[in-house]
Amino acid sequence: MVSTYTLIYTIQAFSSLISELYELERSRPVLFGDLEGYDLCRNGPLALITIYALPLAMTDIVDASALGEASFTTEGEHLPGRALTSLMEDKNHPE
């Protein structure tokens, strides 16, 4: 299976991605992530967030350096209150 990737560096594109990820059926783990930074620790700057969506065979590379705090606070299109953090912290879906 061929996987495609997209570089996300605008809030609009990231908002679209969040919406797409929320639409996935998640009765089993389907999202996989990786964080990369300069001094990756509690206070270190985050550089990239990589998200792989198994059902879509899609990898999204989010430029956290460009988006800053919006990497965690950007809500999905027409999905108030639903951001990356709430998606990853959702207890109703397997990790």
Side-chain angles (χ1 to χ4, degrees), residues 8-22:
I8 306 288
Y9 55 91
T10 67
I11 291 176
Q12 182 180 3
F14 192 49
S15 181
S16 294
L17 171 63
I18 296 297
S19 295
E20 192 170 4
L21 296 177
Y22 264 99

Side-chain angles (χ1 to χ4, degrees), residues 26-33 52 54 85-95:
R26 294 186 290 149
S27 60
R28 59 188 175 90
V30 296
L31 295 177
F32 304 89
Y52 177 73
L54 182 64
T85 51
S86 57
L87 179 70
M88 296 301 184
E89 294 173 350
D90 190 344
K91 301 289 186 211
N92 295 319
H93 298 285
E95 297 180 3

Side-chain angles (χ1 to χ4, degrees), residues 49-88:
I49 303 169
T50 305
I51 303 168
Y52 177 73
L54 182 64
L56 304 174
M58 177 181 73
T59 301
D60 290 284
I61 303 168
V62 180
D63 187 343
S65 295
L67 295 177
E69 185 67 27
S71 302
F72 298 99
T73 59
T74 298
E75 298 173 340
E77 295 174 328
H78 313 293
L79 296 172
R82 294 188 173 188
L84 181 61
T85 51
S86 57
L87 179 70
M88 296 301 184

